[in-house]
């Protein structure tokens, strides 16, 4: 349930309602807007009728049910958009954020050269896998801590904050020592033990949509993070499984707009895994931004044909640079349709 306080509600009246929500057996989550305060009563096993009765408490405008099963993630609970800070980078603000880097960290030379190249082209965050979820146990599984050290070195040299995937609860504390943002991979979207663990960290989380997950399931996965105490969550659409076989996955553009409608959390798109084809990455990046995406995450490799994972979908430095230039051009050449938002430039100075 949500208790909407009136514009004229006093601090005492707000405090009183918060207390009453606790007494009724729920956890109060308070959102203070410019003019109004919203108190969401969340949890199971409380006494609902006591919340409904708060309609009569001083300073209360109304008490309404939260329509969706995801409570804290819903825009009903928090109408203002969430802005997530990752080091000097802001996700969910006016600028589109570009995260770029290899699928996997392979060598010092590979990750450092990529970090410098993507920064030069205008990316504002570096991606790179240290622990890789591979379909086959015989494929490269990631360099682990060695990769984390190299990512930290790349950040030191470029100033780009780093995002990397966490696959298990046991690795979380170690990974937190090295990186700025934790990625929950598509295959782990419903690893509830992992979500609960990441909820207790102080790092922002990039939550990928599972390949077969509905938007509701995706938002409920985010609810695990928020209800567990971590409000800094960015959703990532990375394509879903459909009957189509020409593309690796089907990038669900509507889900980007829908997630931003249903939730206050920022949403980014991953056109690399979403299509599996370099030629489709620039147009799908533009499409995602036109759909409201707050950013994109793209795989870039110094030599895709030699990549240890996801080479066929990785952009070369040149392709990435050309894409970055095209992102700031009008959507349709002479038609003059321009992107509503600018692509953010690397925050750190050259
Ligand atoms: C990745 O980012 O390299 C990755 C494995 O992504 P996903 O979990 O979306 O497949
Ligand atoms: Mn990959």
């Amino acid at each position: 349930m949500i208790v909407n306080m009136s514009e004229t509600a006093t601090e005492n009246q707000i405090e009183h309602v918060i207390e009453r929500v606790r007494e009724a057996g729920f956890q109060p989550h308070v959102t203070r807007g410019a003019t109004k305060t919203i108190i969401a009563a969340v949890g199971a096993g409380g006494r609902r009728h006591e919340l409904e009765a708060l309609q009569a408490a001083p300073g209360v405008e109304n008490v309404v049910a939260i329509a969706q099963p995801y409570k804290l993630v819903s825009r009903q609970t928090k109408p203002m958009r969430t802005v997530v800070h990752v080091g000097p980078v802001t996700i969910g603000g006016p600028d589109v954020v570009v995260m770029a880097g290899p699928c996997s960290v392979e060598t010092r030379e590979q990750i450092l050269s990529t970090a410098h190249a993507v920064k030069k082209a205008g990316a504002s965050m570096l991606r790179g896998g240290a622990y890789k979820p591979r379909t086959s146990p015989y494929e490269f599984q990631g360099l682990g801590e060695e990769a984390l050290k190299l990512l930290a070195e790349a950040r030191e040299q470029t100033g780009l904050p780093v995002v990397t995937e966490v696959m298990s609860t046991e690795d979380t504390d170690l990974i937190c020592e090295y990186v700025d943002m934790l990625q929950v991979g598509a295959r782990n979207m419903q690893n509830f033990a992992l979500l609960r663990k990441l909820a207790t960290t102080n790092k922002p989380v990039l939550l990928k949509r599972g390949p077969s997950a509905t938007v509701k399931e995706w938002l409920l996965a985010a609810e695990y993070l928020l209800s567990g105490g971590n409000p800094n969550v960015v959703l990532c659409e990375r394509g879903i499984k459909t009957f189509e076989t020409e593309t690796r996955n089907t990038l669900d553009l509507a889900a980007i707009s829908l997630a931003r409608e249903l939730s206050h959390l920022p949403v980014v798109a991953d056109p690399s895994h979403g299509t599996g084809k370099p030629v489709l990455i620039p147009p799908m990046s533009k499409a995602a931004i036109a759909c409201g995406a707050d950013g994109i995450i793209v795989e870039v490799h110094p030599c895709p044909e030699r990549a240890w994972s996801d080479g066929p979908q990785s952009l070369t430095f040149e392709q990435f640079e050309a894409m970055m230039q095209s992102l700031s051009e009008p959507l349709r050449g002479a038609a003059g349709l321009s992107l509503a938002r600018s692509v953010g430039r690397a925050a750190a100075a050259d």
Side-chain angles (χ1 to χ4, degrees):
M1 304 282 284
I2 284 176
V3 184
N4 289 305
M5 301 301 293
S6 69
E7 275 185 36
T8 54
T10 65
E11 196 49 46
N12 278 347
Q13 290 168 340
I14 294 170
E15 285 306 321
H16 173 72
V17 170
I18 293 172
E19 200 38 52
R20 292 288 295 116
V21 166
R22 274 202 199 96
E23 282 173 18
F26 295 91
Q27 291 104 47
H29 289 263
V30 184
T31 306
R32 290 172 194 271
T35 53
K36 284 187 185 180
T37 295
I38 297 173
I39 300 158
V42 184
R47 291 172 300 282
R48 218 181 135 94
H49 63 275
E50 290 188 27
L51 296 179
E52 282 160 7
L54 286 174
Q55 184 76 59
V60 171
E61 188 173 280
N62 58 25
V63 180
V64 292
I66 306 179
Q68 310 287 6
Y70 39 87
K71 312 290 178 193
L72 302 178
V73 160
S74 168
R75 265 181 78 193
Q76 210 184 342
T77 305
K78 182 173 178 281
M80 309 89 82
R81 299 218 67 81
T82 290
V83 172
V84 172
H85 298 279
V86 187
V89 175
T90 296
I91 307 176
D95 284 342
V96 173
V97 170
V98 178
M99 313 172 194
C103 179
S104 304
V105 177
E106 298 164 3
T107 63
R108 185 166 181 271
E109 165 64 16
Q110 174 245 17
I111 190 66
L112 293 182
S113 65
T114 309
H116 285 286
V118 299
K119 184 187 173 178
K120 189 159 162 272
S124 42
M125 282 181 65
L126 177 67
R127 65 147 288 151
Y131 299 84
K132 295 304 301 178
R134 303 308 301 278
T135 302
S136 160
Y138 306 116
E139 289 172 322
F140 174 58
Q141 305 286 310
L143 294 179
E145 187 171 8
E146 191 188 334
L148 298 174
K149 289 183 177 154
L150 293 173
L151 285 167
E153 189 179 348
R155 178 188 45 214
E156 237 166 71
Q157 289 195 12
T158 59
L160 298 179
V162 166
V163 56
T164 202
E165 176 163 354
V166 187
M167 291 208 301
S168 89
T169 50
E170 299 105 78
D171 303 328
T172 307
D173 294 336
L174 180 74
I175 294 174
C176 283
E177 286 175 29
Y178 291 98
V179 305
D180 306 284
M181 186 177 212
L182 307 173
Q183 173 176 322
V184 175
R187 295 161 184 80
N188 270 312
M189 188 202 84
Q190 285 188 318
N191 180 340
F192 300 117
L194 181 63
L195 295 173
R196 283 208 173 90
K197 171 73 182 175
L198 300 193
T200 65
T201 70
N202 59 4
K203 300 284 179 186
V205 176
L206 182 70
L207 178 64
K208 290 208 167 187
R209 179 182 179 189
S212 316
T214 63
V215 169
K216 189 185 281 180
E217 287 163 342
W218 186 24
L219 298 180
L220 279 167
E223 186 80 11
Y224 270 85
L225 295 164
L226 269 68
S227 65
N230 191 341
N232 298 311
V233 175
V234 176
L235 300 165
C236 178
E237 163 59 38
R238 48 77 73 201
I240 53 173
K241 289 219 182 293
T242 67
F243 51 80
E244 182 56 73
T245 52
E246 290 295 320
T247 47
R248 182 175 177 184
N249 290 290
T250 297
L251 188 68
D252 186 359
L253 291 169
I256 297 169
S257 299
L258 181 60
R260 290 183 96 260
E261 260 324 290
L262 297 173
S263 172
H264 51 85
L265 296 173
V267 182
V268 304
D270 175 347
S272 300
H273 295 87
T275 67
K277 285 189 160 33
V279 70
L280 297 180
I281 294 170
M284 287 305 103
S285 296
K286 285 191 176 186
I289 296 167
C291 289
D294 297 285
I296 51 170
I297 178 163
V298 178
E299 287 184 343
V300 179
H301 194 281
C303 182
E305 70 164 75
R306 289 178 189 273
W308 298 359
S309 62
D310 283 350
Q313 71 189 31
S314 298
L315 299 183
T316 61
F317 296 168
E318 294 72 28
Q319 286 171 326
F320 180 67
E321 204 182 327
M323 180 178 93
M324 289 300 283
Q325 270 161 21
S326 79
L327 287 184
S328 48
E329 285 163 7
L331 258 187
R332 281 232 200 114
L337 262 179
S338 63
L339 294 175
R341 305 160 75 194
S342 61
V343 173
R345 294 279 143 178
D350 275 312

